[in-house]
Amino acid sequence: MFLLLSEYVKPIEVIDSLLIDHKAFLKKYYDLGLFICSGRKNPRTGGLIICRAENKETAENIIKEDPFYIEKAAVYSIIEVLPTMFQEGFEKFL
């Protein structure tokens, strides 16, 4: 499991102009069952995606499809997480 953390590097107006395409990107990976959760940071300086990629290389390739990444509006960091404790029902995401 990977945390995909984005940090905006362009003005929020640029981010807003890319939101429709970014949401289409998110939907693609939700439909494929690879995204578990996503959302904005508060304050709005970036976002987070929880991803079920097989490995870090796959997670990196997924990010490369994000319009925020393509348009150099955000930079990403990737953190691999190996869950050891979780609420009942969460195991279906592992």
Side-chain angles (χ1 to χ4, degrees):
M1 178 172 294
F2 295 87
L3 304 181
L4 312 179
L5 303 169
S6 67
E7 190 72 33
Y8 301 148
V9 294
K10 289 199 175 173
I12 203 68
E13 295 80 17
V14 174
I15 299 302
D16 287 342
S17 74
L18 297 169
L19 273 179
I20 290 173
D21 292 337
H22 175 71
K23 288 179 180 180
F25 156 77
L26 293 172
K27 183 177 181 335
K28 172 184 176 179
Y29 285 98
Y30 274 108
D31 290 348
L32 291 170
L34 294 177
F35 286 176
I36 297 168
C37 177
S38 60
R40 297 175 179 169
K41 293 180 186 175
N42 188 19
R44 192 173 171 205
T45 59
L48 166 108
I49 301 168
I50 300 176
C51 177
R52 297 180 354 158
E54 285 183 34
N55 52 51
K56 188 172 184 178
E57 181 182 359
T58 300
E60 290 169 342
N61 288 331
I62 289 170
I63 289 169
K64 290 177 183 176
E65 294 182 36
D66 184 356
F68 291 169
Y69 177 89
I70 293 167
E71 297 298 326
K72 297 178 176 44
V75 294
Y76 274 92
S77 58
I78 300 173
I79 301 169
E80 185 170 7
V81 178
L82 304 170
T84 55
M85 291 182 69
F86 41 83
Q87 288 285 345
E88 184 178 327
F90 187 78
E91 62 275 0
K92 70 180 180 180
F93 296 113
L94 301 176

